[in-house]
Amino acid sequence: MHECDVTVTSSASPETVWRLLVDAASWPLWSKVDGLDTTRSVGLDPGGDDGVGAVRAFRTGRTVTGERLTEKVERRLLAYEDAFNPSMHNYHARIELKATASSGTVIHWYGEYETSWLLGWFMPRYLQKFMQGMAEGLARYAEEGKTAL
């Protein structure tokens, strides 16, 4: 089992960060994913507040991965698992938001996954860097006050 674990602090409020996090359509604006594949996604909320059970399919390059939301605690926690992912298996991740004393947000994004022996040589470093970029992108975009498309 491999792990990735990143923590980033944003000056944006937990409410602002949360609105971006639960809206799959916003992810290409602030993250390292290239697009949301709506043809392979299931149960997306048209208002941008995806719920537990929704499968969000993201395209990065030529690869499309699906993540099923498994837990949601308003403005505090979003958890998901792999619905389909050609590179990883048994992937579970949690994104926890915690307010700072100065009304900002600590974003803690971590997960566990399995991969093939061959991919195990580079996947841990690659995914750690990828997830760091995801958390940093979310933090900075939220600081700009952008919450809608």
Side-chain angles (χ1 to χ4, degrees):
M1 193 68 94
H2 301 284
E3 296 179 357
C4 57
D5 192 330
V6 299
T7 302
V8 173
T9 301
S10 176
S11 62
S13 71
E15 292 78 14
T16 300
V17 173
W18 179 257
R19 283 192 298 273
L20 291 168
L21 196 57
V22 296
D23 183 3
S26 79
W27 283 45
L29 300 173
W30 53 263
S31 75
K32 293 185 169 232
V33 301
D34 296 328
L36 174 66
D37 185 337
T38 56
T39 63
R40 295 187 66 185
S41 296
V42 177
L44 298 181
D45 180 74
D49 190 15
D50 299 334
V52 170
V55 175
R56 298 143 42 119
F58 296 109
R59 180 182 46 77
T60 305
R62 295 182 307 196
T63 303
V64 177
T65 59
E67 302 170 347
R68 180 179 300 105
L69 298 184
T70 58
E71 189 176 357
K72 182 177 173 182
V73 179
E74 199 72 23
R75 293 184 303 275
R76 290 187 17 223
L77 169 71
L78 191 66
Y80 59 91
E81 64 187 9
D82 62 321
F84 52 90
N85 188 321
S87 303
M88 296 184 290
H89 311 287
N90 298 318
Y91 177 48
H92 304 275
R94 296 172 69 82
I95 308 164
E96 296 176 347
L97 306 180
K98 185 175 181 181
T100 66
S102 59
S103 301
T105 308
V106 174
I107 303 165
H108 184 205
W109 199 324
Y110 60 98
E112 295 182 333
Y113 62 96
E114 295 176 11
T115 191
S116 70
W117 178 84
L118 182 60
L119 292 176
W121 285 98
F122 72 91
M123 185 63 83
R125 284 187 301 279
Y126 167 80
L127 192 58
Q128 181 70 26
K129 185 176 178 179
F130 188 86
M131 297 310 292
Q132 184 74 37
M134 296 283 287
E136 288 173 355
L138 173 60
R140 302 298 81 86
Y141 196 83
E143 288 172 354
E144 295 172 9
K146 300 176 181 177
T147 58
L149 299 176

